[in-house]
C-alpha cells in the first residue's frame, strides 16, 4: 500500500518541527546571524526556509531563550543571535529529553 503524499508531508513536518528548535538552540551556542545559521543547519542536513527560521528565532527570543543585537558587518546591518543563560539551560534539558526519546524509539523501531 502506498503512503498518501499529503498526509506524509503533514506528519513529516510535525516530526521535524520540534527537532528544528533543538537544532537551532544547539547551533546558537556560538553567536551567528540568520544566514550563517541557515548555512550551518543545511551543512548538517537540516535545510530550513527563511520563512521558517526567522519567526522561530523571534519566538525563541520572546521566550527568553536567545539574545540578539544588531551590528554592522561588511557595511550591512545584521542581527546576531546567541543563547541566553536560560537558553543554555533549556538546551541541556531538551538534549536530555531528546536522548531519552531517541533511545526509546530506537528500541521500538
Amino acid at each position: 500500500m502506498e503512503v498518501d503524499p499529503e498526509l506524509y508531508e503533514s506528519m513529516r513536518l510535525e516530526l521535524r518541527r520540534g527537532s528544528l528548535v533543538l537544532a537551532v538552540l544547539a547551533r546558537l551556542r556560538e553567536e551567528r546571524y540568520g544566514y550563517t545559521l541557515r548555512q550551518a543547519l543545511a551543512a548538517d542536513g537540516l535545510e530550513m526556509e527563511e520563512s521558517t527560521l526567522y519567526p522561530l528565532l523571534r519566538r525563541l527570543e520572546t521566550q527568553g531563550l536567545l539574545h540578539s543585537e544588531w551590528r554592522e558587518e561588511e557595511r550591512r546591518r545584521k542581527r546576531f543571535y546567541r543563547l541566553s543563560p536560560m537558553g543554555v539551560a533549556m538546551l541541556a534539558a531538551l538534549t536530555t529529553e531528546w536522548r531519552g526519546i531517541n533511545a526509546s524509539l530506537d528500541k521500538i523501531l
Side-chain angles (χ1 to χ4, degrees):
M1 181 171 194
E2 289 189 35
V3 172
D4 178 315
E6 287 182 34
L7 180 58
Y8 168 76
E9 186 61 17
S10 172
M11 291 188 146
R12 185 185 74 82
L13 290 174
E14 187 176 330
L15 183 62
R16 200 169 184 265
R17 196 167 288 125
S19 303
L20 293 178
V21 169
L22 185 56
V24 166
L25 291 175
R27 277 288 167 211
L28 288 176
R29 288 178 289 206
E30 294 178 17
E31 184 179 72
R32 298 176 187 271
Y33 65 95
Y35 180 74
T36 58
L37 176 57
R38 274 186 70 211
Q39 285 182 314
L41 291 168
D44 293 330
L46 286 173
E47 293 191 22
M48 189 182 319
E49 297 295 323
E50 287 181 16
S51 61
T52 300
L53 178 61
Y54 290 105
L56 174 59
L57 290 171
R58 284 191 295 275
R59 179 170 58 89
L60 294 173
E61 185 173 22
T62 299
Q63 292 169 332
L65 302 175
L66 302 179
H67 290 305
S68 72
E69 69 177 274
W70 287 98
R71 290 201 302 260
E72 190 164 317
E73 186 179 273
E74 300 168 5
R75 296 170 40 184
R76 292 182 45 215
R77 285 182 44 84
K78 298 176 182 179
R79 189 172 201 155
F80 287 82
Y81 297 89
R82 68 185 181 287
L83 289 180
S84 68
M86 187 167 40
V88 172
M90 183 63 74
L91 174 58
L94 290 176
T95 299
T96 299
E97 182 67 16
W98 171 263
R99 288 189 172 133
I101 290 169
N102 197 44
S104 296
L105 284 173
D106 279 343
K107 287 178 190 175
I108 293 167
L109 296 174

